[in-house]
Every structure is written in structure tokens, then in C-alpha cells.
Amino acid sequence: MKIACTVNGRARTVDGAWEGESLLSVLRDRMQLPGSKNACEQGECGSCSVYMDGVLVCACLVLGGQANDRTIVTIEGLATGTALHAVQQAFVEAGAVQCGFCTPGLVVATHDLLARFPEPSVMQIREALAGNICRCTGYAKIIDAVQLAARRIAVDEHSAR
Amino acid sequence: MTEHPRLAPRTPVTGRVGDSVQRPDAVLKVKGDFPYSSDLQVEGMLWGATVRSPHPYARIGSIDASEALASPGVRAVLTHEDVPGRKVYGLEIPDQPVLAFDVARYWGEAVALVAADSPEEARRAAHKVQVDYQVLVPLTDPELALTPDAPSLHEGGNVTRQVRIRHGDQNARAEVVVTGEYEIGMQDQAPLGPESGLAIPDGQGGVDLYIATQWLHIDRDQLAECLALSREKVRLTLAGVGGAFGAREDLSMQAHACMLALRTGRPVKIAYSRPESFVGHVHRHPGRLRYEHGATRDGKLVYVKARILLDGGAYASSSTAVIANACCFAVGPYECPNATIDGWVVYTNNPPCGAMRGFGSVQNCYAHEAQMDKLAAALSMDPVELRIRNAMKTGSSMVTGQVVEGPVPVADLLRRVRDVALPPATTSDPVDLTEMPGGVSNTTHGEGVKRGVGYAVGFKNIGYSEGFNDYSTARVRLSVVGGRPRVEVHTASAEVGQGLVTVQAQIAGTELGVSDVVVLDADTAVGSAGSSSASRQTYVTGGAVKAACEAVRERVLSLAQSEMGGLSADAGDGRRLENDAIVSADGAVVVHLATLLGEEVIEETREFHPRRTAPLDPETGQADAHLQYAFAAHRAVVDVDTELGLVKVVELATAQDVGKAINPQAVEGQLEGGAAQGLGLALMEEIQVKDGVIRNASFTDYLLPTILDMPPLRMQILELGDPHSPYGLKGVGEPPTISSGPAIVAAIRAATGRPLSRAPVRPHDIVDTSPLPS
């Protein structure tokens, strides 16, 4: 089947996907966007978190066909040019990255959290990221990274005013 | 020319030993640009799929591949008859078939392979391979496997290894005696990256494999045997590794991808799904442990007797080393003059078990720490005080007779976690549900919730033991690039997420005083680094990088001597390499390295061999079997909903001696991540095996700790310096996983008064579900 959608600001078309193929496979295997990760492929680990029409979804739980005419933003679409997004930079600095397989999903989920709650409490962070499994870090430095990103974004917005 | 996959670009690192240097792959990882083994793609690549046994034990008759071969897109179907060389492999004992022949011994064992143009075509065709199974009754009870009447699953019987430790007086008697029986469930490493890799035939009979593994060279050696190729014809390069924790020590899809690539002449990628991953790697051994502790009335251990039975499952993997650890560390880090330890690891038709973080020292820690609490109760003593009274010190003897050297801060670690201020009671009004056991499920507003505090301390060996040749190789190259000195470090050591790539660069940066250090891709073009396991890589590969750098430095100084004169090649006159230059003792620049070197390239390769160890005596278990010991202690504070059996871990506190923190931020990450895996085994992580079949092979049914489950961790990191190791460092990765879980279970015991002799602790272990008396 044919799928036409906007991915990270670009119009993309895929031909030859099979009907049962997930959006995750379409992104990874057909669009050369392997940043979204294939850790559980049943919506439990959040490693494939992407935006579809601005809503955070697990790409493994969305059929490729459902993405037709939709707008997708993946981890590859968050940075602007060579500059990391504040969330990405915070993950790097806080030591929130070890093996990094969960990182793309956590970065996208954090990006979504901070858009909704610019100054999240620790418990809001925990609730918002409860769908993202990390096996390496024990999450402490992920919480640090989210708080660091929130502070940075607040400062940037303050100075932009 | 064959296309090869894109690997991670090399990012220079600037930093010294002791700094929290940022890892060079972090930027790629946060952008989704880091190429993991499951991301690799090349033009014309085929996909492999594996046909697996649906029975835990079955005789294999004929295999009919005709229907699969006729399926769309299929390029090859292979069985055991197509294994070119040795049909079996294994880390310690080559007993595991590359593809099952004669019998399949566990549920999910690989039986046949398919290569096809797309992953779905490969998977569909795999279902069409007809295997004639004669189903046999599986042997799934490890106790039964020990009995003489049990059917033998392998030649030579079902005992993979028996370990006997006889230390001190075997007839010692004590005033106070406590006994207990403990059971530990089967834990999965659950690295997030699935088993995966890409094999590319070179057109001349050889193969290149891009792979996520923990030890490139042992994979290569096993592959060469099984593929009937010389080692030079099998070249491995480390692809991005999505975590390991022991799950990548054994071969999974490596031989399969290579076989399919060599047969089809095309690149072949295999990437497991999560359910397949559960049968594609070995697990932590489930254990049954029976203990008897004898002590004086004032709380000194007189003797410990232990019987430890580990279920090794269908194949040996690293079971023989795991049972040795389980026995050597059976008593915990305590002085114990007399010990009688008997351990067995046996074959069954359960999933094979092998390495997981902690490696045999986890199961026994649950038992010895529960015993210490029991003993404290019997003596009416404070449990921490009892532990301190018996704590090992420098010069204490192991139950193996080995004298423990260097700092042994067991008592200090216990005092430190005890003295951390306890977290306040959860008493917000109105109740914050997120702080309650059960969370926003709204299962309690505090009624039935009881708090408990528990302690545990554990230890294990760092590096290989029992005489295994432990070494690593490093090649270090110093040249001038763009007018600046650059150091390239080349080893075969596997970066699996722990930060080894950063540590290697920090060591080179420190030893050579150069601010531009690049760590090359790990591959088999350089000598073996040993495995990324046993918490050994910073010690052993770090030692090799240091040694190679020292050799390079010596040549730099003699070059300066011959070019400029007036310099001594030995470092005794205080000249050193710093800030991209040779500097004098007072820090003044003698010559910039760029000036000195010009076009010259200085390259040195060194092996680093730590002190040798010795095998355990088969009768007495006495030997200097271990290289280094590492210690950690934990305190857990829990709130337990005693009516529903739900547990909220409120806080963990830990203290650990790391010798020297080469990268403090990475050390913290190990302590935090290790504690999370310990929490998992204590509370939720268990592979449910019934009649040899895994019932929960998915992340929906195998529960892993989430960010909601992990409490704050109060860390105290000690740097006491080991006199024998590079920079005084100690292995860091495993100790956090040993005592964290037992401390949590102790805290639940304290809250509930329940015996809790089993981990993970389930709700029905906490809530008394026995029928009410009529």
C-alpha cells in the first residue's frame, strides 16, 4: 500500500508497505529514520514515541496506513540544524544517557511533557514518563535532565520576552 | 565492492581521570542518530528469521523445508545439516547446538533458519517449515534433575558443576542456630536493544559481522569453529549495543546470520522481536538455597552451612562460573571461621541460564542477609550491629581461604547507610495518592499501610576468577592532525552503555596529556579485550590503555631526547606530558607535541594482565580464586499496603567503595541503574516458567521497574584506592545489583512480620491468603 505523510516537515511517500506494517517499521525500514526504537513493539516501553498530529503516540501501535495524510515528528525532527533542543542537551549533560536505546522515546516524551507543564513537579515527571522504560539509568538522571531542561527553557523564554 | 553499514562517527573526547566527562556518543543518542545493531541497513540485504521449538523437550525427526522454500521472497532455509563446522557452541562447555539436532531441549530453541527479502516474508516462511517433533516429557524440576533416576539431558548426567567448600572445623557447634530456605525466581536482563546484527559475506568465503555483543573475540572464536573458517576469515565489528547486563555473553543470532549470508552470498540482518529475545538469551539462574547459621550468644558467627541449587536450564552457558560465585560468596562479606558449602548447577528443560549482573552473588545475598536478620532477631540484637560485629576487614579470610587485601570497608558502608537521616513518614493531608502503594490506582489512602526499614550488604569478585586468563589489549596511536596532537585508542572492548568508551579516552587523555582523544570502533582487528562483564573492563582494558599510553609516552620522551637532547627518558626528572606538550616538573612547556612529532606517528600495543588467580580445589573449595572484591551496602525504606500486598519503595540509600571514580557521573549512573535492577528482582521481575514454557515473554507480562517504581537513591561513593589496580579503581557495575533487592525484602519483612523467603515478593506472599479456620 501507499502512505503519504509529512515527516519532520518533509512530504514523504512510501510505496509497497504491507497492510499490517506499523508506523514504526515504516519509519525505520522504509524512510531511513531508525531513531525511533524497536524495544518491545507492543506499546509498553515508549522507545518509539513520536508525535502524530501533535499527539504523543507509540509508533509501534500505529498502523503505517493510519499515518496517511498525517503529520509525524520523530526524534530526528527535534533538533534545529546542528543545535540540540534544550531537552536533548539536558539529557547529554545530566548523564541521562547510557546505552541510549530508551533515549529517543524519553526525549520526545519529555518534549511533550514540558510543552504541557513547563514547570513539572517530580511527581508530574514520574507520571508523564511512566510509559518509558529505561533499563540502564534507574531514572534518577532522567529526572535531573527533565528539570534541567525545564529551567533552561524557562530562562530562554524569559529572555525572549 | 561490498557496501558496509554506517557506524557511529568518531567524536573526540577531552577529559581526565576523575572528571565527569561527557560520553562521546551522547549527542548522537539524543538525536536518534546513533546506529544500533538493529538499525543497520545495506543495499540488497536479506532478513533472517528463526524457526523455534514449540516444545521444551522433543525428539526431532525430519525437517521439511519445501513449503517454506516455495514461499514468496525466500532465498534460503537452513537446518543443522547446513552447519559447516562444529555443530555446538558454548562459553565453558560446547553443548548448545547452533541449530537443534536429534533433540530440542528447551522451549524456543532454534531449529531452522530462513532468509527472505523482507522481515515479514521471512517470518511467514518460518511458520511453514515442517518439523517432525516427537514430544518428550520435560525435566523441569532441578531437585529431580539431581536424582539418579532422572533422565540424563546431556552425556555425563545433569550436574553441570558441583562446588564443595570445606573451611575450618566441619563439626563446629554454636549456642544459637537459625535455619532458612530461600527461593529466587528467574530474572531477565531485558536490555532494551534486541539481539541483532548484520552479516556481510566478503565473496571469498569469509564474513564480516556487525554485532551487539559483550565480547567480540569469544564470538569470533566460536563462529570460526561453527562455520569451519579460520579466525582471519571471521571479522567482527561492534555495532551500537542497546544494553547487555549479561544477556549478550552467549551467541544468539551471530552464527545464524553468518550461515545465511555465506549461503546466499548476500548481506543478512537478523533482529529479534521482544518475545523472541526472551528465548534468544540466557537468564539469571533461579535458585533454591538452604542455610544454617551458628553463632555465639554475643553475636559472632561460628559456622555457616549452605546448600545451593541453581537451575541452569538446557545448556551450560556460564553456569560453571556462576555456581562457583554462588558458593564463594555464600556467607556474605562476613568473617566466618567454619563453613560447609555445597552447590550444584543442573541441566533441566527450562530456559538456559547464565550471566546476569551480579553473576551468582545475587541469589545468595537474599539468603545470607535474611539469615543475618533472623540471627539478629534470635539474639535480640540490632541487625546492623550484628553485621558490623561480623564484618570482614582487611586481612580477613574468605571461606575459600583467600585473604582479602586492600580496603575492606564493610562495617563503614553499613554505618554510613544506617546514619543517613530517615525519610519523613508519608502523612500529607489530603493524601497524595502518588506517594501511596498502588499510586493513582486509588487503592488506599493510608489505611493498612505500614513502613519498614531493611538493610543488606553484599560483595563479589571483579574480573575473571579461578585461573581464567584475564587480559586485555590496547593499541594507542599518537599523531598530529590539523596541527594538533591526536590520540587514537583502539581496543576490542564492548561499550554496552556503561561508559567504557569515555573511560578509555579519559585514561589516554590523562596519560598522554592530549586534549583530542578518539576511541576507534571496537573490532577484531586488534587483540582481545575480554568481555564487558564481571565489572572488569575499566580495570583490565583501562589497564591496557594505560600501559599502551605509557609505552607511547616513553617513546615521545626518547624522541625528544634524541631530537633536542638534555631530556631523560625516564619520568624520574619530573617531565611529563600535559596540555599537548612535554612540560617540565614546574609545568613550563619544554616542547609542544605537534612540533616534536611533525609527521611522525608513534603507535604501541600492549596487553595488560592482572594477577593470576587459581582454581578452587575440587574437594575443599580452597584457593586464591579471585582478583579483587567489591562491596556495597543498601538501606531500603518501604511503605507496604498490608491488605493488598502492594509495596512502595520510599527511598534507597547506598554506600559503595569504588576505589577511584574514573568518571564520577558514570559511577553514579551504575549505582542508580544497578539498584533499579535489584529492585526489579525484589518486587516484580520474574520469568514465569510452567512445564518448561515461558508464560510472560513480553514487556506487557514481564514487569520492569518504571520511573514511578524507582525511589530517590541517596549515594555515598567512597574512593579508598586498591593498591593493586590501575588508579586504585574497583569494578563498579555489579555490586549495586546485589544488596539493593535483599534490603528491600528485609524492609518488607520489617513492615509486615512475614517471613518472605522468596524473591520476587508477590502480593500473596505479603497478604495471608490461607483459608480462615472454620
Side-chain angles (χ1 to χ4, degrees):
Chain A
M1 64 186 290
K2 193 170 171 179
I3 301 164
C5 54
T6 304
V7 181
N8 299 334
R10 277 179 59 203
R12 299 289 298 262
T13 307
V14 157
D15 218 346
W18 66 287
E19 292 73 8
E21 197 160 324
S22 68
L23 173 60
L24 180 62
S25 293
V26 171
L27 291 169
R28 287 176 53 79
D29 301 334
R30 298 187 190 273
M31 292 184 174
Q32 277 67 54
L33 291 170
S36 307
K37 287 288 166 278
N38 55 326
C40 81
E41 297 182 85
Q42 57 180 202
E44 294 291 345
C45 76
S47 304
C48 62
S49 299
V50 301
Y51 285 108
M52 185 160 79
D53 287 351
V55 177
L56 189 69
V57 296
C58 286
C60 71
L61 293 186
V62 176
L63 284 172
Q66 288 177 288
N68 200 45
D69 287 339
R70 305 292 192 97
T71 299
I72 309 295
V73 177
T74 72
I75 182 69
E76 288 96 338
L78 289 192
T80 318
T82 55
L84 295 180
H85 186 275
V87 172
Q88 294 171 316
Q89 185 61 36
F91 269 67
V92 170
E93 289 178 30
V97 179
Q98 287 189 31
C99 94
F101 212 79
C102 68
T103 304
L106 273 159
V107 167
V108 175
T110 301
H111 186 273
D112 176 63
L113 164 68
L114 296 183
R116 293 181 290 120
F117 300 99
E119 293 172 50
S121 67
V122 169
M123 204 35 89
Q124 281 175 319
I125 295 170
R126 290 185 188 273
E127 283 290 335
L129 301 183
N132 292 77
I133 290 172
C134 171
R135 192 56 161 162
C136 296
T137 66
Y139 304 103
K141 297 205 177 335
I142 290 170
I143 294 172
D144 293 347
V146 178
Q147 291 175 321
L148 178 61
R151 286 198 300 275
R152 292 249 175 91
I153 292 168
V155 169
D156 288 352
E157 285 182 354
H158 183 74
S159 53
R161 261 183 230 136
Chain B
M1 208 188 117
T2 323
E3 186 198 352
H4 285 266
R6 183 186 71 92
L7 298 175
R10 293 159 190 166
T11 309
V13 176
T14 304
R16 299 286 183 269
V17 164
D19 298 345
S20 287
V21 177
Q22 191 177 301
R23 45 185 311 143
D25 54 16
V27 168
L28 294 168
K29 285 176 173 176
V30 297
K31 291 166 75 179
D33 285 344
F34 183 76
Y36 293 89
S37 55
S38 53
D39 298 337
L40 305 179
Q41 287 196 28
V42 289
E43 199 60 36
M45 169 182 98
L46 302 176
W47 293 76
T50 311
V51 180
R52 296 183 177 278
S53 171
H55 309 292
Y57 196 29
R59 194 160 295 288
I60 295 174
S62 61
I63 301 175
D64 179 2
S66 53
E67 200 188 334
L69 274 167
S71 289
V74 171
R75 305 289 172 161
V77 179
L78 305 182
T79 70
H80 64 89
E81 291 180 355
D82 302 296
V83 178
R86 196 175 68 184
K87 287 180 184 293
V88 288
Y89 67 93
L91 290 172
E92 310 280 348
I93 302 166
D95 63 355
Q96 183 158 1
V98 176
L99 292 168
F101 55 91
D102 299 341
V103 285
R105 293 185 182 83
Y106 73 97
W107 181 77
E109 181 165 355
V111 176
L113 305 169
V114 177
D117 292 342
S118 71
E120 55 277 9
E121 283 169 329
R123 283 197 294 267
R124 278 191 205 121
H127 288 295
K128 295 180 182 169
V129 175
Q130 302 292 325
V131 184
D132 175 25
Y133 293 107
Q134 183 199 334
V135 177
L136 303 170
V137 178
L139 176 62
T140 58
D141 179 352
E143 288 285 1
L144 206 60
L146 264 183
T147 61
D149 297 340
S152 261
L153 299 182
H154 290 270
E155 251 178 66
N158 294 329
V159 177
T160 317
R161 186 177 180 189
Q162 179 180 0
V163 173
R164 280 166 59 93
I165 293 178
R166 298 290 182 270
H167 185 66
D169 178 3
Q170 295 302 295
N171 299 307
R173 291 173 170 275
E175 295 163 316
V176 182
V177 173
V178 293
T179 61
E181 287 192 39
Y182 305 92
E183 187 179 336
I184 312 300
M186 185 188 290
Q187 189 178 20
D188 190 57
Q189 302 89 342
L192 283 201
E195 289 80 358
S196 46
L198 174 64
I200 302 179
D202 66 5
Q204 293 161 355
V207 64
D208 289 277
L209 178 66
Y210 297 84
I211 185 70
T213 182
Q214 291 178 242
W215 188 355
L216 289 164
H217 282 76
I218 203 158
D219 282 9
R220 181 202 61 181
D221 293 353
Q222 296 186 85
L223 288 171
E225 289 269 8
C226 297
L227 299 171
L229 292 173
S230 67
R231 289 176 177 178
E232 294 69 38
K233 291 242 175 214
V234 184
R235 295 166 297 268
L236 274 68
T237 303
L238 191 71
V241 185
F245 317 117
R248 300 186 206 275
E249 285 193 22
D250 298 74
L251 294 183
S252 57
M253 43 55 66
Q254 284 90 327
H256 300 162
C258 291
M259 282 171 59
L260 290 169
L262 289 166
R263 176 62 68 95
T264 60
R266 301 263 297 269
V268 174
K269 173 171 168 173
I270 296 181
Y272 287 177
S273 67
R274 181 55 52 184
E276 191 170 21
S277 176
F278 272 92
V279 294
H281 62 252
V282 300
H283 311 289
R284 189 192 299 289
H285 292 76
R288 296 178 193 177
L289 307 95
R290 192 187 303 153
Y291 270 67
E292 180 180 316
H293 276 54
T296 62
R297 273 194 216 292
D298 60 352
K300 283 294 284 181
L301 283 178
V302 175
Y303 69 85
V304 172
K305 294 179 183 174
R307 176 191 185 276
I308 298 172
L309 176 61
L310 300 181
D311 182 353
Y315 296 106
S317 180
S318 50
S319 280
T320 51
V322 173
I323 189 65
N325 268 15
C327 293
C328 289
F329 305 101
V331 172
Y334 303 113
E335 291 185 336
C336 181
N338 310 300
T340 311
I341 318 283
D342 287 290
W344 291 268
V345 60
V346 294
Y347 288 120
T348 64
N349 292 114
N350 290 321
C353 289
M356 184 177 172
R357 193 177 196 171
F359 202 80
S361 293
V362 172
Q363 295 91 333
N364 60 26
C365 189
Y366 279 92
H368 65 65
E369 290 305 272
Q371 284 288 103
M372 292 304 274
D373 284 344
K374 260 190 193 179
L375 190 56
L379 293 163
S380 302
M381 265 183 83
D382 175 78
V384 176
E385 204 45 54
L386 174 70
R387 286 172 170 85
I388 290 171
R389 191 163 295 185
N390 290 284
M392 272 186 169
K393 313 185 259 292
T394 302
S396 295
S397 174
M398 291 278 295
V399 293
T400 57
Q402 183 168 6
V403 172
V404 184
E405 301 172 355
V408 184
V410 178
D412 187 28
L413 298 176
L414 285 161
R415 285 190 193 101
R416 282 171 181 272
V417 294
R418 180 191 61 193
D419 293 346
V420 175
L422 282 163
T426 310
T427 52
S428 55
D429 184 29
V431 162
D432 181 350
L433 283 176
T434 58
E435 293 183 355
M436 290 288 130
V440 292
S441 302
N442 199 16
T443 49
T444 178
H445 285 211
E447 62 279 10
V449 173
K450 289 187 180 156
R451 176 154 292 191
V453 179
Y455 295 87
V457 61
F459 74 142
K460 87 172 286 287
N461 50 337
I462 304 302
Y464 302 138
S465 295
E466 287 201 81
F468 195 98
N469 183 17
D470 197 345
Y471 76 99
S472 180
T473 317
R475 181 185 298 158
V476 172
R477 186 177 197 266
L478 173 64
S479 63
V480 180
V481 177
R484 291 180 58 207
R486 161 169 288 193
V487 175
E488 290 177 332
V489 179
H490 189 189
T491 75
S493 62
E495 166 63 55
V496 297
Q498 79 279 48
L500 182 57
V501 70
T502 329
V503 160
Q504 292 177 70
Q506 289 177 254
I507 290 173
T510 301
E511 294 302 323
L512 295 175
V514 170
S515 55
D516 180 353
V517 181
V518 168
V519 179
L520 305 184
D521 291 332
D523 58 31
T524 50
V526 64
S528 176
S531 60
S532 290
S533 62
S535 307
R536 62 178 282 285
Q537 284 289 24
T538 302
Y539 189 139
V540 186
T541 291
V545 172
K546 183 168 184 279
C549 287
E550 285 162 356
V552 168
R553 184 172 61 210
E554 203 171 302
R555 281 186 55 194
V556 168
L557 292 174
S558 38
L559 178 69
Q561 168 74 13
S562 61
E563 299 265 312
M564 306 169 64
L567 275 169
S568 155
D570 71 299
D573 63 359
R575 289 187 184 86
R576 59 190 191 274
L577 271 59
E578 204 173 287
N579 300 325
D580 295 350
I582 297 177
V583 300
S584 61
D586 58 7
V589 172
V590 177
V591 61
H592 288 282
L593 290 179
T595 313
L596 176 69
L597 288 171
E599 300 289 302
E600 185 117 10
V601 175
I602 296 180
E603 180 178 299
E604 289 291 340
T605 303
R606 287 293 181 275
E607 282 184 3
F608 175 73
H609 294 254
R611 293 183 298 168
R612 286 302 288 252
T613 55
L616 296 177
D617 181 279
E619 292 305 314
T620 64
Q622 301 299 291
D624 288 350
H626 305 298
L627 172 65
Q628 186 186 54
Y629 297 97
F631 306 87
H634 285 84
R635 183 188 73 189
V637 180
V638 302
D639 281 343
V640 184
D641 182 337
T642 55
E643 295 164 2
L644 291 174
L646 300 174
V647 177
K648 166 94 181 168
V649 182
V650 175
E651 186 200 84
L652 286 170
T654 187
Q656 181 173 334
D657 172 26
V658 303
K660 163 75 184 172
I662 304 295
N663 184 320
Q665 190 184 59
V667 166
E668 290 172 10
Q670 289 298 307
L671 269 57
E672 291 159 346
Q677 291 183 4
L679 179 146
L681 178 57
L683 292 179
M684 64 188 84
E685 289 188 40
E686 184 173 8
I687 297 183
Q688 305 286 335
V689 183
K690 190 162 190 298
D691 301 328
V693 177
I694 298 180
R695 308 302 295 265
N696 58 341
S698 75
F699 281 179
T700 304
D701 299 313
Y702 182 88
L703 300 183
L704 293 160
T706 71
I707 198 168
L708 281 171
D709 298 305
M710 265 310 283
L713 177 68
R714 314 268 172 239
M715 285 181 282
Q716 294 177 72
I717 295 169
L718 280 63
E719 298 182 277
L720 301 180
D722 182 305
H724 295 292
S725 66
Y727 308 108
L729 70 84
K730 280 197 173 193
V732 170
E734 291 171 287
T737 309
I738 297 173
S739 47
S740 45
I744 291 167
V745 176
I748 305 171
R749 271 190 215 107
T752 63
R754 304 280 297 173
L756 304 182
S757 57
R758 187 187 190 284
V761 177
R762 302 156 300 189
H764 60 268
D765 297 324
I766 294 171
V767 181
D768 189 352
T769 53
S770 55
L772 293 169
S774 50

